[in-house]
Short mmCIF file of all heavy atoms in Angstrom, two decimals:
data_model
loop_
_atom_site.label_atom_id
_atom_site.label_comp_id
_atom_site.label_asym_id
_atom_site.label_seq_id
_atom_site.Cartn_x
_atom_site.Cartn_y
_atom_site.Cartn_z
N LEU A 1 135.28 80.94 53.14
CA LEU A 1 135.95 80.81 51.83
C LEU A 1 135.70 82.00 50.92
O LEU A 1 136.59 82.44 50.18
CB LEU A 1 135.48 79.52 51.15
CG LEU A 1 135.88 78.21 51.83
CD1 LEU A 1 135.25 77.03 51.09
CD2 LEU A 1 137.38 78.05 51.91
N VAL A 2 134.48 82.54 50.95
CA VAL A 2 134.12 83.56 49.99
C VAL A 2 134.47 84.96 50.46
O VAL A 2 134.71 85.87 49.65
CB VAL A 2 132.61 83.46 49.66
CG1 VAL A 2 131.75 84.09 50.76
CG2 VAL A 2 132.31 84.13 48.32
N MET A 3 134.55 85.19 51.78
CA MET A 3 134.83 86.53 52.28
C MET A 3 136.19 87.06 51.84
O MET A 3 136.30 88.24 51.46
CB MET A 3 134.69 86.56 53.80
CG MET A 3 133.28 86.76 54.29
SD MET A 3 132.68 88.45 54.05
CE MET A 3 133.65 89.32 55.27
N PRO A 4 137.27 86.26 51.90
CA PRO A 4 138.55 86.80 51.39
C PRO A 4 138.49 87.24 49.94
O PRO A 4 139.11 88.25 49.57
CB PRO A 4 139.52 85.63 51.60
CG PRO A 4 138.92 84.83 52.70
CD PRO A 4 137.45 84.94 52.51
N LEU A 5 137.76 86.49 49.11
CA LEU A 5 137.65 86.88 47.70
C LEU A 5 136.87 88.18 47.56
O LEU A 5 137.20 89.05 46.74
CB LEU A 5 136.96 85.76 46.91
CG LEU A 5 137.65 84.39 46.95
CD1 LEU A 5 136.84 83.36 46.18
CD2 LEU A 5 139.07 84.49 46.38
N LEU A 6 135.82 88.34 48.36
CA LEU A 6 135.05 89.59 48.32
C LEU A 6 135.88 90.76 48.84
O LEU A 6 135.75 91.89 48.33
CB LEU A 6 133.77 89.43 49.15
CG LEU A 6 132.75 88.43 48.63
CD1 LEU A 6 131.56 88.33 49.59
CD2 LEU A 6 132.27 88.81 47.24
N VAL A 7 136.73 90.51 49.83
CA VAL A 7 137.61 91.58 50.32
C VAL A 7 138.58 92.01 49.23
O VAL A 7 138.82 93.21 49.03
CB VAL A 7 138.36 91.10 51.58
CG1 VAL A 7 139.48 92.07 51.94
CG2 VAL A 7 137.41 90.93 52.75
N LEU A 8 139.15 91.05 48.50
CA LEU A 8 140.06 91.40 47.40
C LEU A 8 139.34 92.21 46.33
O LEU A 8 139.89 93.18 45.78
CB LEU A 8 140.64 90.12 46.78
CG LEU A 8 141.63 89.34 47.65
CD1 LEU A 8 142.02 88.04 46.97
CD2 LEU A 8 142.87 90.19 47.95
N TRP A 9 138.10 91.84 46.03
CA TRP A 9 137.32 92.61 45.04
C TRP A 9 137.06 94.03 45.54
O TRP A 9 137.19 94.99 44.77
CB TRP A 9 136.02 91.88 44.74
CG TRP A 9 135.11 92.63 43.81
CD1 TRP A 9 134.05 93.42 44.14
CD2 TRP A 9 135.22 92.69 42.39
NE1 TRP A 9 133.47 93.96 43.03
CE2 TRP A 9 134.16 93.52 41.93
CE3 TRP A 9 136.08 92.11 41.46
CZ2 TRP A 9 133.96 93.79 40.59
CZ3 TRP A 9 135.87 92.39 40.11
CH2 TRP A 9 134.83 93.21 39.69
N THR A 10 136.67 94.17 46.78
CA THR A 10 136.40 95.49 47.35
C THR A 10 137.67 96.34 47.37
O THR A 10 137.64 97.54 47.07
CB THR A 10 135.84 95.36 48.78
OG1 THR A 10 134.70 94.51 48.77
CG2 THR A 10 135.43 96.71 49.33
N ASP A 11 138.80 95.71 47.71
CA ASP A 11 140.08 96.43 47.67
C ASP A 11 140.37 96.94 46.26
O ASP A 11 140.82 98.08 46.07
CB ASP A 11 141.22 95.51 48.12
CG ASP A 11 141.14 95.16 49.59
OD1 ASP A 11 140.42 95.87 50.33
OD2 ASP A 11 141.79 94.17 50.01
N MET A 12 140.13 96.09 45.27
CA MET A 12 140.46 96.46 43.89
C MET A 12 139.63 97.64 43.42
O MET A 12 140.17 98.62 42.88
CB MET A 12 140.26 95.25 42.97
CG MET A 12 140.64 95.51 41.52
SD MET A 12 140.40 94.06 40.47
CE MET A 12 138.61 93.93 40.50
N VAL A 13 138.31 97.59 43.62
CA VAL A 13 137.47 98.69 43.14
C VAL A 13 137.71 99.94 43.98
O VAL A 13 137.59 101.07 43.48
CB VAL A 13 135.98 98.29 43.15
CG1 VAL A 13 135.72 97.15 42.18
CG2 VAL A 13 135.52 97.89 44.56
N GLY A 14 138.04 99.77 45.28
CA GLY A 14 138.35 100.93 46.11
C GLY A 14 139.61 101.64 45.65
O GLY A 14 139.66 102.87 45.56
N LEU A 15 140.64 100.87 45.34
CA LEU A 15 141.88 101.46 44.83
C LEU A 15 141.67 102.09 43.46
O LEU A 15 142.30 103.11 43.12
CB LEU A 15 142.98 100.39 44.76
CG LEU A 15 143.49 99.89 46.11
CD1 LEU A 15 144.48 98.76 45.90
CD2 LEU A 15 144.12 101.02 46.91
N TYR A 16 140.80 101.50 42.65
CA TYR A 16 140.51 102.09 41.35
C TYR A 16 139.86 103.46 41.51
O TYR A 16 140.21 104.41 40.81
CB TYR A 16 139.59 101.15 40.56
CG TYR A 16 139.23 101.67 39.20
CD1 TYR A 16 140.16 101.74 38.17
CD2 TYR A 16 137.92 102.11 38.93
CE1 TYR A 16 139.84 102.22 36.92
CE2 TYR A 16 137.57 102.59 37.68
CZ TYR A 16 138.53 102.65 36.68
OH TYR A 16 138.21 103.13 35.43
N GLY A 17 138.91 103.57 42.44
CA GLY A 17 138.29 104.87 42.70
C GLY A 17 139.30 105.88 43.21
O GLY A 17 139.28 107.06 42.81
N ALA A 18 140.20 105.45 44.11
CA ALA A 18 141.24 106.35 44.62
C ALA A 18 142.19 106.77 43.49
O ALA A 18 142.65 107.92 43.44
CB ALA A 18 142.01 105.65 45.73
N MET A 19 142.48 105.84 42.59
CA MET A 19 143.39 106.15 41.48
C MET A 19 142.79 107.19 40.54
O MET A 19 143.49 108.09 40.06
CB MET A 19 143.72 104.86 40.73
CG MET A 19 144.72 105.02 39.60
SD MET A 19 145.21 103.41 38.93
CE MET A 19 143.62 102.79 38.36
N LEU A 20 141.49 107.10 40.29
CA LEU A 20 140.85 108.09 39.41
C LEU A 20 140.89 109.48 40.02
O LEU A 20 141.15 110.47 39.33
CB LEU A 20 139.40 107.66 39.15
CG LEU A 20 139.19 106.38 38.34
CD1 LEU A 20 137.70 106.11 38.14
CD2 LEU A 20 139.91 106.46 36.99
N VAL A 21 140.62 109.59 41.31
CA VAL A 21 140.64 110.90 41.97
C VAL A 21 142.07 111.44 42.02
O VAL A 21 142.30 112.65 41.85
CB VAL A 21 140.04 110.80 43.39
CG1 VAL A 21 140.17 112.11 44.13
CG2 VAL A 21 138.58 110.38 43.31
N ALA A 22 143.05 110.56 42.26
CA ALA A 22 144.45 110.99 42.30
C ALA A 22 144.90 111.57 40.96
O ALA A 22 145.65 112.55 40.90
CB ALA A 22 145.35 109.82 42.70
N LYS A 23 144.42 110.99 39.89
CA LYS A 23 144.78 111.50 38.57
C LYS A 23 144.05 112.80 38.26
O LYS A 23 144.65 113.75 37.72
CB LYS A 23 144.43 110.46 37.50
CG LYS A 23 144.79 110.90 36.09
CD LYS A 23 144.47 109.83 35.06
CE LYS A 23 144.85 110.29 33.67
NZ LYS A 23 144.55 109.26 32.64
N ALA A 24 142.78 112.89 38.67
CA ALA A 24 142.00 114.08 38.35
C ALA A 24 142.41 115.28 39.19
O ALA A 24 142.48 116.41 38.66
CB ALA A 24 140.51 113.79 38.55
N ASP A 25 142.67 115.09 40.48
CA ASP A 25 142.95 116.21 41.38
C ASP A 25 144.44 116.48 41.58
O ASP A 25 144.84 117.64 41.79
CB ASP A 25 142.31 115.96 42.75
CG ASP A 25 140.80 116.12 42.72
OD1 ASP A 25 140.27 116.40 41.62
OD2 ASP A 25 140.15 115.95 43.77
N LEU A 26 145.28 115.45 41.57
CA LEU A 26 146.70 115.62 41.88
C LEU A 26 147.61 115.36 40.71
O LEU A 26 148.84 115.52 40.82
CB LEU A 26 147.08 114.68 43.05
CG LEU A 26 146.29 114.89 44.35
CD1 LEU A 26 146.71 113.86 45.39
CD2 LEU A 26 146.48 116.30 44.89
N GLY A 27 147.07 114.93 39.57
CA GLY A 27 147.89 114.73 38.38
C GLY A 27 148.78 113.50 38.44
O GLY A 27 149.79 113.43 37.73
N ILE A 28 148.46 112.54 39.28
CA ILE A 28 149.26 111.31 39.39
C ILE A 28 148.72 110.32 38.37
O ILE A 28 147.54 109.96 38.40
CB ILE A 28 149.18 110.72 40.81
CG1 ILE A 28 149.79 111.71 41.81
CG2 ILE A 28 149.88 109.39 40.90
CD1 ILE A 28 149.69 111.27 43.25
N SER A 29 149.57 109.83 37.49
CA SER A 29 149.12 108.94 36.42
C SER A 29 148.74 107.58 36.99
O SER A 29 149.23 107.15 38.05
CB SER A 29 150.23 108.78 35.37
OG SER A 29 151.34 108.11 35.93
N ASN A 30 147.89 106.89 36.25
CA ASN A 30 147.46 105.56 36.68
C ASN A 30 148.64 104.58 36.72
O ASN A 30 148.73 103.75 37.63
CB ASN A 30 146.39 105.03 35.74
CG ASN A 30 145.11 105.87 35.80
OD1 ASN A 30 144.89 106.63 36.73
ND2 ASN A 30 144.28 105.73 34.77
N ARG A 31 149.52 104.69 35.76
CA ARG A 31 150.66 103.77 35.72
C ARG A 31 151.56 103.96 36.92
O ARG A 31 152.00 102.99 37.54
CB ARG A 31 151.45 103.99 34.42
CG ARG A 31 152.66 103.05 34.27
CD ARG A 31 153.35 103.28 32.94
NE ARG A 31 154.51 102.40 32.81
CZ ARG A 31 155.29 102.36 31.74
NH1 ARG A 31 155.02 103.14 30.69
NH2 ARG A 31 156.34 101.55 31.70
N PHE A 32 151.84 105.23 37.25
CA PHE A 32 152.68 105.52 38.42
C PHE A 32 152.01 105.04 39.71
O PHE A 32 152.67 104.50 40.60
CB PHE A 32 152.97 107.01 38.49
CG PHE A 32 153.87 107.40 39.63
CD1 PHE A 32 155.23 107.21 39.54
CD2 PHE A 32 153.35 107.94 40.80
CE1 PHE A 32 156.08 107.57 40.59
CE2 PHE A 32 154.17 108.30 41.85
CZ PHE A 32 155.55 108.12 41.74
N PHE A 33 150.71 105.23 39.79
CA PHE A 33 149.96 104.80 40.98
C PHE A 33 150.09 103.29 41.16
O PHE A 33 150.35 102.80 42.27
CB PHE A 33 148.49 105.19 40.81
CG PHE A 33 147.66 105.05 42.06
CD1 PHE A 33 147.36 106.15 42.83
CD2 PHE A 33 147.18 103.81 42.46
CE1 PHE A 33 146.60 106.04 43.98
CE2 PHE A 33 146.41 103.67 43.60
CZ PHE A 33 146.12 104.79 44.37
N ILE A 34 149.93 102.53 40.06
CA ILE A 34 149.98 101.07 40.14
C ILE A 34 151.40 100.59 40.46
O ILE A 34 151.60 99.65 41.24
CB ILE A 34 149.47 100.45 38.83
CG1 ILE A 34 147.99 100.80 38.63
CG2 ILE A 34 149.67 98.94 38.83
CD1 ILE A 34 147.44 100.37 37.28
N GLU A 35 152.42 101.24 39.87
CA GLU A 35 153.80 100.82 40.10
C GLU A 35 154.26 101.10 41.52
O GLU A 35 155.00 100.31 42.11
CB GLU A 35 154.73 101.52 39.10
CG GLU A 35 154.55 101.04 37.66
CD GLU A 35 155.43 101.81 36.69
OE1 GLU A 35 156.02 102.83 37.14
OE2 GLU A 35 155.54 101.39 35.53
N GLN A 36 153.83 102.21 42.08
CA GLN A 36 154.29 102.60 43.41
C GLN A 36 153.50 101.93 44.54
O GLN A 36 153.98 101.90 45.67
CB GLN A 36 154.17 104.13 43.57
CG GLN A 36 155.17 104.91 42.76
CD GLN A 36 156.60 104.58 43.18
OE1 GLN A 36 156.94 104.61 44.36
NE2 GLN A 36 157.44 104.27 42.20
N MET A 37 152.33 101.39 44.24
CA MET A 37 151.51 100.80 45.30
C MET A 37 152.24 99.69 46.06
O MET A 37 152.33 99.72 47.29
CB MET A 37 150.19 100.27 44.71
CG MET A 37 149.30 99.55 45.71
SD MET A 37 148.74 100.62 47.05
CE MET A 37 147.74 101.78 46.13
#
């Protein structure tokens, strides 16, 4: 029961880290990243 919830949490923080690097290195805005995902 708890593993799927932990996987969703790990996915969320992982994508957040990827989004920060995408904005800093490639100039992709956070809004565009979230809309296109």
Side-chain angles (χ1 to χ4, degrees):
L1 294 176
V2 78
M3 276 287 289
L5 302 178
L6 294 178
V7 169
L8 291 175
W9 176 262
T10 306
D11 292 343
M12 183 179 67
V13 295
L15 291 175
Y16 180 70
M19 183 172 61
L20 294 181
V21 175
K23 181 178 180 180
D25 287 1
L26 301 177
I28 298 177
S29 65
N30 295 342
R31 181 177 179 179
F32 182 79
F33 191 100
I34 296 173
E35 290 177 350
Q36 289 298 311
M37 176 63 65

